[in-house]
């Protein structure tokens, strides 16, 4: 049709960029670097999309982002309403985009999560995943895929979700073996409303573990996953564990597991690993070849024991409360221990742990080639 002139084919980088912009409302200009392809090629793709009115640049308050052009919005809605009407119709933040900095930054933080999910092979589009928050409150047999549901999708449950107003979560990730509430602090250290986040955790556990997936998630604890720009935030959270700025929400039992991933290729690869119980177990089995089996009776949680009988923790997922519990127990018992991590994580762990903990360092590039390339 004539209105489709210059519109990219499905499966191309140009089409993926339009899809991403549609579900995010606005994506930060520098996020394009995390899409596949060379820099010059991506620049030419954006130029072509803008030339035919499918994409436009929005620059204000020193924030540069990309939004759908009117023509691009119209074609996507006409051809795939089941995928895009939720985002491109009505009085929503992704359709009628406000100009306030706070609202735009929220869209940008959400876009970072969506690109991480897409790059990790997680389903994000509504026509590719079960509508578990939109349908009647009836049980679902099993979640066989990894799927991400944004916070607005969760609110399709209706009045019940008023309980989580004030939560900073961007959505929830469901995998074959786990449930993860997703947060993105970007370059900042998040300020938590403990009660709102606790209510969100309780509500999601009620909906997913008891109502929707009782056969699969009945005994599953809801975990947390915080994304951030770089590892300084991770260091600050742990280094303040004994001070007035202690983050009680992350360290004091609200979550047994709360992971920290970076907004880059490292974080995307760890996300892919987190979504695959089989590959995680495979990696752990490889690591165990250099240690003795874990000791469940040891008063320090551990994944293995070294030749001297000291505990070893597989810390490559950067599980904030677990690493804090391990380090605190070593200090209290005046013991030595080992944390297994990737090479890009070792500097920040050395800063925090000092000489009390030995680091066993994995080559990230070698791991990535062996598991995902």
């Amino acid at each position: 049709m004539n209105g489709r002139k210059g519109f990219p084919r499905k499966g191309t980088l140009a089409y993926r960029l339009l899809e991403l912009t549609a579900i995010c409302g606005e994506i930060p200009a520098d996020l394009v670097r995390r899409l596949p392809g060379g820099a010059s090629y991506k620049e030419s793709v954006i130029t072509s999309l803008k030339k035919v009115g499918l994409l436009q640049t929005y620059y204000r308050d020193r924030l540069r982002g990309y939004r759908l052009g009117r023509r691009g919005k119209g074609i996507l809605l006409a051809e795939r309403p089941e995928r895009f009407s939720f985002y491109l119709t009505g009085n929503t933040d992704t359709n009628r985009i406000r100009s306030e900095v706070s609202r735009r930054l929220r869209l940008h933080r959400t876009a970072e999560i969506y690109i991480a999910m897409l790059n990790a092979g997680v389903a994000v589009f509504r026509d590719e995943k079960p509508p578990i928050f939109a349908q009647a409150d009836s049980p679902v047999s099993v979640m066989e895929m990894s799927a991400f549901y944004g916070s607005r999708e969760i609110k399709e449950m209706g009045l019940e979700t008023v309980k989580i107003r004030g939560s900073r979560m961007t959505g929830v990730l469901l995998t074959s073996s786990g449930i993860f509430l997703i947060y993105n602090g970007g370059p900042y250290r998040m300020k938590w409303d403990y009660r709102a986040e606790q209510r969100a955790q309780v509500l999601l556990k009620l909906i997913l573990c008891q109502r929707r997936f009782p056969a699969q998630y009945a005994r599953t604890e809801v975990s947390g996953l915080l994304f951030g720009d770089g590892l300084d935030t991770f260091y600050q959270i742990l280094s303040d564990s004994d001070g007035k700025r202690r983050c009680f929400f992350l360290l004091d039992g609200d979550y047994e597991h709360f992971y920290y991933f970076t907004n880059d290729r490292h974080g995307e690869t760890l996300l892919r690993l987190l979504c695959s119980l089989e590959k995680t177990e495979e990696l752990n089995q490889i690591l165990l070849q250099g240690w003795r089996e874990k000791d469940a009776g040891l008063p320090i949680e551990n994944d293995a024991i070294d030749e001297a009988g000291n505990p070893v923790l597989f810390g490559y997922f950067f599980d904030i409360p677990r690493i804090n519990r391990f380090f605190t127990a070593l200090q209290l018992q005046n013991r030595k221990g080992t944390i297994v991590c990737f090479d890009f994580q070792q500097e920040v762990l050395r800063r925090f742990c000092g000489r009390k903990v030995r680091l066993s360092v994995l080559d990230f590039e070698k791991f990535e080639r062996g598991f995902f390339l």
Side-chain angles (χ1 to χ4, degrees):
M1 65 185 197
N2 292 334
R4 228 186 162 279
K5 183 178 180 181
F7 200 81
R9 298 188 309 275
K10 295 176 183 178
T12 63
L13 173 62
Y15 191 85
R16 176 49 55 91
L17 183 58
L18 294 179
E19 288 183 310
L20 181 63
T21 309
I23 65 175
C24 296
E26 176 179 319
I27 62 172
D30 61 357
L31 188 63
V32 176
R33 60 184 167 78
R34 289 171 59 185
L35 292 171
S40 58
Y41 171 64
K42 286 182 282 192
E43 184 177 346
S44 66
V45 166
I46 292 173
T47 300
S48 298
L49 291 174
K50 291 166 63 177
K51 186 176 181 180
V52 294
L54 299 174
L55 199 68
Q56 60 184 16
T57 301
Y58 186 84
Y59 182 78
R60 185 172 178 175
D61 297 314
R62 294 185 291 182
L63 286 178
R64 186 183 302 275
Y66 296 119
R67 299 178 177 182
L68 280 182
R70 182 177 300 178
R71 180 167 173 260
K73 182 184 295 187
I75 295 176
L76 289 176
L77 273 174
E79 294 194 345
R80 306 190 79 172
E82 72 284 356
R83 176 169 290 196
F84 299 114
S85 61
F86 181 77
Y87 306 98
L88 300 180
T89 59
N91 186 26
T92 65
D93 281 347
T94 52
N95 183 39
R96 297 181 180 178
I97 307 172
R98 278 64 170 179
S99 60
E100 294 92 337
V101 171
S102 59
R103 288 178 176 268
R104 293 182 64 205
L105 284 175
R106 185 161 60 245
L107 294 179
H108 288 194
R109 297 289 85 83
T110 300
E112 290 174 337
I113 296 300
Y114 273 116
I115 193 65
M117 296 294 166
L118 285 169
N119 287 345
V122 176
V124 300
F125 297 111
R126 288 170 66 81
D127 56 322
E128 294 181 342
K129 59 190 181 184
I132 60 175
F133 296 103
Q135 289 186 339
D137 199 14
S138 57
V140 180
S141 58
V142 65
M143 173 63 78
E144 297 179 345
M145 64 173 66
S146 294
F148 174 74
Y149 296 83
S151 57
R152 186 168 158 248
E153 292 179 277
I154 296 172
K155 291 175 183 177
E156 286 186 282
M157 292 289 297
L159 290 176
E160 191 171 20
T161 58
V162 172
K163 299 174 184 177
I164 63 173
R165 182 176 296 171
S167 171
R168 301 288 297 278
M169 70 173 177
T170 60
V172 60
L173 168 66
L174 305 183
T175 73
S176 59
S177 60
I179 301 169
F180 305 88
L181 268 62
I182 306 298
Y183 298 85
N184 184 12
Y188 309 107
R189 182 170 175 178
M190 292 187 70
K191 295 181 179 179
W192 305 93
D193 182 337
Y194 301 117
R195 290 174 294 182
E197 303 307 340
Q198 288 171 341
R199 289 195 298 268
Q201 181 191 30
V202 170
L203 179 62
L204 268 296
K205 187 171 183 177
L206 173 66
I207 294 171
L208 297 171
C209 300
Q210 298 182 27
R211 297 180 185 173
R212 304 296 277 148
F213 298 94
Q216 182 177 5
Y217 292 140
R219 298 183 180 180
T220 300
E221 290 296 325
V222 175
S223 298
L225 173 53
L226 171 61
F227 283 84
D229 296 354
L231 294 173
D232 280 347
T233 298
F234 174 82
Y235 173 77
Q236 291 169 4
I237 292 171
L238 288 178
S239 61
D240 289 341
S241 60
D242 293 327
K244 294 181 179 179
R245 297 187 63 192
R246 179 183 178 90
C247 187
F248 294 95
F249 175 65
L250 297 181
L251 298 174
D252 289 352
D254 288 298
Y255 283 90
E256 184 176 358
H257 301 286
F258 209 117
Y259 306 97
Y260 184 89
F261 292 172
T262 47
N263 279 313
D264 55 21
R265 181 175 128 250
H266 292 141
E268 293 167 0
T269 302
L270 286 177
L271 178 61
R272 187 181 292 269
L273 181 64
L274 186 69
C275 290
S276 174
L277 181 61
E278 294 78 12
K279 288 189 179 296
T280 300
E281 290 178 345
E282 179 184 352
L283 176 59
N284 289 343
Q285 287 302 313
I286 292 173
L287 295 177
L288 279 173
Q289 294 177 12
W291 315 97
R292 289 157 39 193
E293 291 285 340
K294 73 175 186 177
D295 182 355
L298 201 67
I300 302 177
E301 59 186 297
N302 62 92
D303 297 302
I305 301 296
D306 68 14
E307 62 280 359
N310 295 315
V312 177
L313 190 78
F314 296 166
Y316 53 81
F317 274 139
F318 262 26
D319 187 339
I320 295 170
R322 193 165 190 248
I323 289 176
N324 183 65
R325 291 194 300 265
F326 182 77
F327 181 68
T328 301
L330 290 179
Q331 288 183 306
L332 292 174
Q333 299 178 37
N334 194 28
R335 298 188 61 156
K336 298 287 187 179
T338 298
I339 294 179
V340 180
C341 66
F342 286 110
D343 45 16
F344 72 91
Q345 300 168 327
Q346 61 178 320
E347 181 180 353
V348 69
L349 281 177
R350 283 203 175 96
R351 285 172 60 197
F352 172 66
C353 298
R355 297 181 180 180
K356 177 66 69 174
V357 174
R358 174 179 174 267
L359 299 182
S360 179
V361 180
L362 308 174
D363 186 317
F364 179 81
E365 300 286 344
K366 185 177 179 180
F367 155 77
E368 189 177 39
R369 287 194 304 269
F371 278 73
F372 294 114
L373 298 181

